[in-house]
C-alpha cells in the first residue's frame, strides 16, 4: 500500500513521495526502485523489519519514528555524491529546529544529529553505478520522533527523541514534509553557491568545533583539535604532528 504524503505540510516541487506500511528497510526498497525512478523520490515506511545504520549496525526503529530514504540521480561522481550527507544534515537541523530550539541541536561528523547531546537522527548514504558518475544515490534518514530506542548498548551517544524534548508527538508524515522541503532548499543552495556554502552552514552547527575530540578509524585512534571539514568532507584534526584529514571514522568526545 502506498500513498502520497504531499498533503501533510509543504511539499517541494519536483519531488515524489511513497509511503509504505511495512518493508525490510527503506534503503533496500530504494535500491529496488532505482532503475524506475523518474524524479527524486522519498520513500517512507511506517514499519521496518530489518533497519540498519552505518557499517551494517542495527538501527532500532519503533513505530512513530521516521524511516525514510531519498533516492535520485545527482549527476555526480562518487566523491561529489558523498557530500550530500552534509546537505542532509543541514536539512535535518533546519527541520528539527522548527520543533525544538536550535541551540539544543548540533551536527556530529560525519552523519549524526544531536539533541541536547543525545543522538536524535542518523544519515546513511548508498550509491550505485560503475562509471565515473553514480547512477543513483540514496540518502537514508532515521529520526527518533516519538520513541527513544531501548536496548541500544553499543552507541557512542545515548539516543534521545524529539518527543522527550517537546513533550508531545510529531507525526512521521508531517516531519517528512518539513524535511523534504528543507532538503530541496539545500539542493538549490548547492546548485547556486557550491559546496563551500554547504560546508560553512554545516560547520556553523558542528558539535565540539575547536575542541579536542578522538576519531576512531578502525586502524588507529587519532586525537586532536576539531579544526574543520575540508572541501572533500574529510574531518580535519590538528594533532601533535600537524593537521590530519580523516575520510572515515567514528568520533568520540
Amino acid at each position: 500500500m502506498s500513498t502520497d504524503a504531499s498533503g501533510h505540510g509543504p511539499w517541494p516541487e519536483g519531488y515524489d513521495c511513497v509511503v509504505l506500511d511495512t518493508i525490510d528497510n527503506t534503503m533496500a526498497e530504494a535500491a529496488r526502485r532505482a532503475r524506475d525512478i523518474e524524479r527524486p523520490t522519498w520513500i517512507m515506511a511506517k514499519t521496518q523489519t530489518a533497519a540498519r545504520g552505518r557499517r551494517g549496525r542495527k538501527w532500532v526503529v519503533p513505530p512513530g519514528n521516521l524511516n525514510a530514504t531519498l533516492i535520485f540521480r545527482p549527476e555526480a561522481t562518487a566523491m561529489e555524491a558523498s557530500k550530500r550527507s552534509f546537505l542532509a544534515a543541514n536539512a535535518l537541523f533546519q527541520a528539527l529546529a522548527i520543533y525544538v530550539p536550535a541551540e539544543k541541536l548540533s551536527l556530529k561528523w560525519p552523519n549524526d544529529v544531536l539533541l541536547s547531546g543525545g543522538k536524535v537522527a542518523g544519515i546513511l548514504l548508498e550509491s550505485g553505478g560503475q562509471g565515473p558518475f553514480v547512477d543513483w544515490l540514496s540518502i537514508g534518514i532515521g529520526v527518533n520522533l516519538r520513541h527513544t530506542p531501548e536496548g541500544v548498548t553499543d552507541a557512542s551517544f545515548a539516543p534521545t527523541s524529539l518527543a522527550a524534548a517537546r513533550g508531545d508527538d510529531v507525526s512521521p508524515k508531517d516531519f517528512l514534509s518539513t524535511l523534504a522541503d528543507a532538503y530541496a532548499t539545500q539542493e538549490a543552495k548547492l546548485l547556486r553557491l557550491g559546496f563551500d556554502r554547504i560546508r560553512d552552514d554545516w560547520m556553523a552547527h558542528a558539535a565540539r568545533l575547536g575542541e579536542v575530540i578522538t576519531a576512531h578509524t578502525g586502524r588507529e585512534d587519532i586525537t586532536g583539535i576539531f579544526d574543520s571539514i575540508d572541501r572533500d568532507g574529510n574531518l580535519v584534526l590538528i594533532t601533535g604532528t600537524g593537521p590530519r584529514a580523516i575520510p572515515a571514522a567514528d568520533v568520540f568526545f
Side-chain angles (χ1 to χ4, degrees), residues 2 18 24 39 44 67 76 101 121 134 137-138 150 174 196 200:
S2 64
V18 175
D24 47 0
R39 305 197 302 174
M44 190 186 94
N67 328 289
V134 299
L137 174 70
S138 59
E150 298 178 355
D174 286 344
D196 283 353
D200 289 347

Side-chain angles (χ1 to χ4, degrees), residues 75-156:
E75 296 185 1
T77 65
M79 173 65 75
E80 291 166 343
S82 69
K83 296 177 184 179
R84 256 58 178 209
S85 65
F86 296 99
L87 276 74
N90 288 345
L92 270 169
F93 187 99
Q94 183 180 342
L96 286 162
I98 298 293
Y99 302 101
V100 293
E103 59 267 23
K104 292 186 176 183
L105 299 166
S106 59
L107 302 177
K108 176 178 168 288
W109 186 91
N111 55 11
D112 293 337
V113 183
L114 304 182
L115 171 57
S116 299
K119 181 174 177 178
V120 71
I123 301 162
L124 178 65
L125 268 63
E126 291 182 352
S127 61
Q130 297 180 344
F133 290 87
V134 299
D135 290 337
W136 53 268
L137 174 70
S138 59
I139 304 174
I141 293 177
V143 184
N144 299 332
L145 295 177
R146 181 180 299 170
H147 303 286
T148 300
E150 298 178 355
V152 179
T153 59
D154 60 348
S156 304

Side-chain angles (χ1 to χ4, degrees), residues 168-249:
D168 62 358
D169 287 348
V170 176
S171 78
K173 284 186 179 180
D174 286 344
F175 188 84
L176 179 60
S177 292
T178 304
L179 175 61
D181 191 57
Y183 186 86
T185 298
Q186 291 294 316
E187 279 286 343
K189 187 178 290 187
L190 178 67
L191 181 63
R192 288 197 318 271
L193 304 174
F195 180 69
D196 283 353
R197 176 57 185 272
I198 301 298
R199 180 184 63 176
D200 289 347
D201 289 350
W202 188 94
M203 287 180 57
H205 305 298
R208 301 298 179 93
L209 186 66
E211 299 182 21
V212 175
I213 64 174
T214 297
H216 177 63
T217 68
R219 298 188 305 272
E220 61 178 329
D221 288 342
I222 305 167
T223 298
I225 297 172
F226 179 11
D227 180 69
S228 64
I229 60 171
D230 65 20
R231 290 185 174 182
D232 292 325
N234 298 320
L235 174 71
V236 179
L237 297 185
I238 305 300
T239 72
T241 58
R244 290 280 303 272
I246 303 165

